[in-house]
Amino acid sequence: MRTITLIKGDGIGPEISKSVVDIFEALKAPIEWDFQEAGADVAEKEGSPLPQKVLDSIKKNGVALKAPVTTPIGKGFRSVNVTLRKELDLYASLRPAYNIPGIKTRYENVDLITVRENTEDLYAGIERKVDDDTMESIKLITRGASTRIAEFAFEYARKNGRKTVSAISKANICKLTDGLFLECARNVAEKYPEINYNEVLVDNLCMQLVQNPTKYDVLLLPNLYGDIVSDLAAGLIGGLGVAQGANIGKDCAVFEAVHGSAPDIKGQNKANPTALLLSSVMMLEYIGENELADRLKNAIFNVLKGGVSLTADLGGNAATTEYTEAIIKEINR
Ligand code: NAI
């Protein structure tokens, strides 16, 4: 039995994490959940939206599955997600975007992955008020973090038989910061002669991704561009309801969907748990449970291919619980 931290999150978090727990029970996965809470409700009770015991649990278990947590906009506490990534040094955000069986999209043969630097850039949270009419935020890029994420991207490409790494920047404008990011990527690329390397400006990349996403393979990006481009990539493969992700560091990994807490559909039994489920497939692969990962992935894909029990975001009218039941039935077949 392996213990894994599970953060149920808020908004649609509790609904979609229940779906994962029920499905893992049906799979008879050798996993024991260590349930932890984070977010606004916890902040009221415990004085912090991310209590130390949550961090301790992840450090102890080494792996966590996390449902989304709401971040107050323009005020309030710092994002739990950003804090978690920083505190645990989860420096690589990995977000695969490939065509999912049964989900009709504009493009076929999309198979790209965003590798996003997760600890610095504008997300370092270094902001200050200059005066009432002027605010300032620092875009922090370091050689250490840029080299580390480039190494992660190339290593990922090598291990997974990927052919090309594209480094994304706005180095024509941010000459020093994005310039350093590219310099580090180039240096690392030299050590991987079997992998093609190219550089694309982020605005051009966005245009090209909506015109012909099949051109791209592994995208290596600083934090902000990575955040935006990975949502764009989610849109190419069926939307946020199916977009999976992982945050990986040297000692721990936290698996989570790309989407947020979707307050607009909270508590309505409408949310699509696929993104969190596919993130849990990544988690199973990470801990070496490959057979279980394949069984879960196949069950999800078979239900999606069936086209009957789809949630509203995919054009169906199944409730979260009905979709979950359909996957459990498929597992038990
Ligand atoms: P969102 O991703 O929560 O929602 C955007 C749209 O997609 C909404 O219309 C929502 O209903 C829909 N959607 C998202 N996930 C879905 C799912 N699984 N099934 C069906 N429909 C789904 O983004 P939004 O509204 O910008 O953010 C809401 C909150 O989530 C914010 O407080 C934000 O900071 C937080 N957030 C948290 C993240 C995390 O915990 N990792 C990541 C992104 C945002």
Side-chain angles (χ1 to χ4, degrees), residues 28-332:
K28 300 190 177 57
I31 281 169
E32 197 169 48
W33 300 111
D34 176 1
F35 292 101
Q36 295 291 336
E37 289 181 48
D41 295 347
V42 184
E44 261 173 46
K45 274 191 283 176
E46 313 229 0
S48 161
L50 184 62
Q52 187 58 38
K53 63 181 179 194
V54 182
L55 292 168
D56 290 344
S57 160
I58 303 173
K59 281 183 191 157
K60 187 168 115 238
N61 298 325
V63 179
L65 183 68
K66 181 187 150 294
V69 175
T70 306
T71 306
I73 293 178
K75 59 179 167 58
F77 58 78
R78 186 168 182 215
S79 158
V80 165
N81 310 305
V82 173
T83 312
L84 200 61
R85 291 166 197 164
K86 206 124 183 132
E87 287 287 322
L88 299 173
D89 201 20
L90 303 170
Y91 66 90
S93 159
L94 206 59
R95 292 178 169 179
Y98 54 82
N99 287 109
I100 293 176
I103 300 183
K104 278 208 189 70
T105 57
R106 274 169 211 272
Y107 304 100
E108 279 168 18
N109 305 318
V110 176
D111 185 10
L112 52 89
I113 180 147
T114 57
V115 179
R116 159 185 169 198
E117 202 292 319
N118 226 2
T119 62
E120 54 182 33
D121 195 357
L122 281 161
Y123 290 52
I126 313 168
E127 289 193 310
R128 75 179 182 111
K129 176 175 169 176
V130 178
D131 59 43
D132 275 350
D133 303 313
T134 316
M135 307 295 163
E136 196 174 73
S137 181
I138 303 281
K139 177 177 163 85
L140 179 80
I141 300 281
T142 66
R143 187 177 299 281
S146 304
T147 302
R148 182 166 71 158
I149 194 68
E151 280 168 351
F152 186 97
F154 277 94
E155 216 32 56
Y156 179 90
R158 180 175 275 173
K159 284 198 187 119
N160 292 279
R162 297 285 190 155
K163 297 198 166 42
T164 306
V165 172
S166 307
I168 311 304
S169 79
K170 193 73 193 166
N172 53 336
I173 306 297
C174 302
K175 292 181 196 291
L176 292 181
T177 47
D178 284 1
L180 177 59
F181 188 82
L182 287 187
E183 182 192 323
C184 297
R186 260 174 236 151
N187 289 341
V188 173
E190 280 176 14
K191 293 189 231 148
Y192 294 81
E194 80 280 18
I195 294 164
N196 301 318
Y197 171 73
N198 57 40
E199 295 171 358
V200 188
L201 295 177
V202 67
D203 39 359
N204 180 17
L205 173 80
C206 290
M207 190 272 294
Q208 292 198 49
L209 281 178
V210 295
Q211 277 197 326
N212 181 11
T214 60
K215 247 177 88 170
Y216 287 97
D217 190 352
V218 177
L219 302 175
L220 165 63
L221 312 98
N223 209 340
L224 176 66
Y225 312 142
D227 194 1
I228 298 167
V229 169
S230 58
D231 266 35
L232 191 161
L236 298 171
I237 55 137
L240 286 173
V242 296
Q244 60 196 294
N247 299 296
I248 298 178
K250 201 164 68 61
D251 304 316
C252 321
V254 176
F255 295 81
E256 63 178 342
V258 171
H259 65 73
S261 57
D264 53 337
I265 55 167
K266 168 189 170 180
Q268 296 174 28
N269 199 12
K270 261 189 186 170
N272 187 352
T274 307
L276 191 62
L277 280 166
L278 290 175
S279 306
S280 73
V281 169
M282 288 175 86
M283 180 192 83
L284 287 171
E285 287 164 350
Y286 180 85
I287 62 171
E289 290 283 353
N290 293 317
E291 205 187 305
L292 216 53
D294 285 347
R295 275 182 63 209
L296 175 54
K297 190 150 92 171
N298 289 338
I300 298 167
F301 287 175
N302 285 343
V303 170
L304 292 172
K305 266 191 278 184
V308 181
S309 304
L310 302 184
T311 45
D313 57 309
L314 297 179
N317 52 20
T320 312
T321 43
E322 286 166 331
Y323 176 67
T324 305
E325 279 307 314
I327 294 175
I328 291 175
K329 232 190 223 161
E330 185 63 34
I331 288 168
N332 292 332

